[in-house]
Amino acid sequence: MNLHEEFLHSNGEDEFAADYQHIEFDNRRIHQRFSLRHNTRSPLALACDGLTVNLSTTRWFVFTSFGTANIKDVSISGVGILSNEALSIGMTFYIELDDIRVLCEVTREQPVKGLLKFLGARWISDNNIDIQRLVDAIKLRAKT
């Protein structure tokens, strides 16, 4: 297993999936995660799978886009993204997909290569309906 892929837990078997990969329940997590990776053995720096989303923040009550990220795994409690944006632990931002926007907080940061980082974030939005809509939209896009 690649050092930068410690968020994916494997028992050493090849885990290939045509649509998306269900990650076995991890006792360190409250909710099951779904991986959008097609090949968990490829290094994150070279991984072209996942789903690209927009990142934004609010400035004077106006949403301002500041970059993009690639979702690598998702659950009802959080998301794992790959991005080169200047985000660090404790920072908040919005993940946007179509007309859905959900607030997140960075809880984990793992350098991958250069400015590229794997970030773990938890949903901090009070709107559980939007969180569920976003997770469903991500899983639906992963299947197509």
Side-chain angles (χ1 to χ4, degrees):
M1 183 177 297
N2 189 311
L3 170 68
H4 304 297
E5 294 181 350
E6 66 188 44
F7 66 99
L8 293 174
H9 303 285
S10 173
N11 59 4
E13 299 173 5
D14 287 334
E15 298 176 0
F16 298 101
D19 297 329
Y20 65 89
Q21 174 189 3
H22 172 79
I23 299 175
E24 292 297 321
F25 188 73
D26 180 355
N27 290 331
R28 297 177 300 167
R29 305 287 193 278
I30 295 171
H31 300 99
Q32 291 178 332
R33 292 172 294 157
F34 294 93
S35 176
L36 279 67
R37 306 271 327 266
H38 294 294
N39 181 357
T40 59
R41 300 229 182 261
S42 67
L44 276 175
L46 304 175
C48 296
D49 47 13
L51 178 66
T52 301
V53 293
N54 292 318
L55 305 178
S56 64
T57 188
T58 52
R59 294 193 179 131
W60 295 98
F61 304 105
V62 176
F63 288 100
T64 305
S65 179
F66 66 86
T68 60
N70 193 271
I71 294 179
K72 297 301 180 184
D73 65 51
V74 66
S75 78
I76 197 67
S77 60
V79 64
I81 62 174
L82 197 59
S83 182
N84 63 354
E85 302 302 328
L87 293 167
S88 58
I89 294 175
M91 293 181 72
T92 60
F93 62 96
Y94 289 88
I95 289 184
E96 298 179 357
L97 181 62
D98 299 331
D99 63 337
I100 309 166
R101 180 182 293 131
V102 178
L103 185 62
C104 308
E105 177 185 15
V106 177
T107 57
R108 178 170 170 241
E109 178 181 7
Q110 176 71 43
V112 175
K113 186 175 185 180
L115 296 176
L116 191 63
K117 297 185 276 188
F118 174 79
L119 302 165
R122 67 181 179 96
W123 310 120
I124 57 174
S125 175
D126 292 333
N127 190 339
N128 290 336
I129 294 171
D130 278 349
I131 293 171
Q132 187 64 56
R133 284 180 55 218
L134 180 63
V135 171
D136 290 344
I138 291 167
K139 288 163 56 174
L140 182 64
R141 292 260 183 103
K143 289 182 179 182
T144 58

